[in-house]
Amino acid sequence: MTVLMCPGQGAQRVGMGKDLATRFPAARDTFAAIDDALDARLSRLMWEGPEDELTLTHNAQPAILAHSAAVLAVVGERLGQAGAAAGHSLGEYSAHVAAGSLTGVDAARLVRRRGELMFAAGEARPGAMAAVLGLPTAEVEAACDEASGPDGVAVPANLNAPDQTVISGDPSGVQRAGEQCKARGAKRVIPLKVSGAFHSPLMAPAVDGLREALADATFSDPAFPVIANASGEAVRTGVDAKRLLADQLTAPVRWVACMQAAAELVPNATFVEIGPGNVLSGLLKRIVPNAKAMTLGTADEVERFLAQ
């Protein structure tokens, strides 16, 4: 039995998915359908760049989802029904595509709107994010509490591994929190190039617009559980999926809890990363050390899997 993992923002790169479209008609058709749905040549931006445009939140999010959806279109039948799925931030939408809760086209429209709303919130109240390496999550949480005040907040935003947490908030708050983390023994604090303070209270202005978009979208109950970022628990209905995807904008990505829940739900699973890169497989080894993992993102990886 498998657990599917779908990557989030940061996995984008120029050239992504082009090899899939070249070798697999199902992938090519998926990219074309998403291009049509967004009334844009997203696939050209993915394959040719420029990188600074691809990296914009409202482009990177549908691009990563399109890549995951294209892989799923090729390997879905061979994979069979998974035991569970989880996605990191925008990847949770890709996970719902895998589970049949959403079509790839509807999910692409949603994440494009999500990216637009998040970008606008970041323009209205500029934020910052930084990765904290080598410090337990509880210490990062305490550092954020100490650093937050009326002139700037900082919160844990991505709980990626027991010793890797991304913090998010006002630039002054994030700077203070980073200094506190270093004082508490963090090995490194790395500022991230982002357009807003994602998964923090600064994203609150985007929530109502996303709720409206989610309300208008057609959600089915997932064919298998999707582990929600906001709660770290299994989602089994479309109603709950909509609610938790809206909550996710201002809640932390509880990735450690998601992976632990998936491992408990599907014992001895093979975790399969669907989409660009292998970041989630690397994090998995630090969360569930004995877990088996494989990546399906490139045409070569897909061909080897289909040939098994």
Side-chain angles (χ1 to χ4, degrees), residues 1-4 79-85 223-227 234 236 262 265-266 269-270:
M1 188 70 78
T2 59
V3 171
L4 306 182
L79 272 173
Q81 182 157 313
F224 46 80
V226 174
I227 314 296
R236 301 177 188 273
L265 192 65
V266 191
T270 297

Side-chain angles (χ1 to χ4, degrees), residues 244-263:
L244 286 160
L245 286 169
D247 290 348
Q248 190 211 71
L249 273 187
T250 54
V253 174
R254 302 182 184 280
W255 193 247
V256 172
C258 288
M259 292 296 94
Q260 290 171 338

Side-chain angles (χ1 to χ4, degrees), residues 88-89 128-130 137 140-141 144 154-160 164-169 174 192 196-201 229 248-255:
H88 194 285
S89 193
M129 300 179 75
T137 303
V140 178
E141 291 171 341
C144 287
V155 296
N158 299 339
L159 313 184
N160 287 336
Q164 181 185 320
T165 303
V166 174
I167 59 177
S168 180
V174 169
L192 303 180
F198 305 149
H199 301 289
S200 84
N229 287 182
Q248 190 211 71
L249 273 187
T250 54
V253 174
R254 302 182 184 280
W255 193 247

Side-chain angles (χ1 to χ4, degrees), residues 258-285:
C258 288
M259 292 296 94
Q260 290 171 338
E264 185 174 337
L265 192 65
V266 191
N268 302 312
T270 297
F271 287 73
V272 183
E273 188 165 358
I274 302 284
N278 59 3
V279 169
L280 300 183
S281 298
L283 293 176
L284 176 68
K285 295 182 189 304

Side-chain angles (χ1 to χ4, degrees), residues 101-113:
S101 326
L102 277 172
T103 67
V105 162
D106 285 347
R109 290 194 183 106
L110 280 170
V111 298
R112 166 57 66 85
R113 181 61 178 147

Side-chain angles (χ1 to χ4, degrees), residues 30 48 58 159 243 261 302:
T30 299
E48 300 176 7
H58 52 282
L159 313 184
R243 173 177 57 81
V302 168

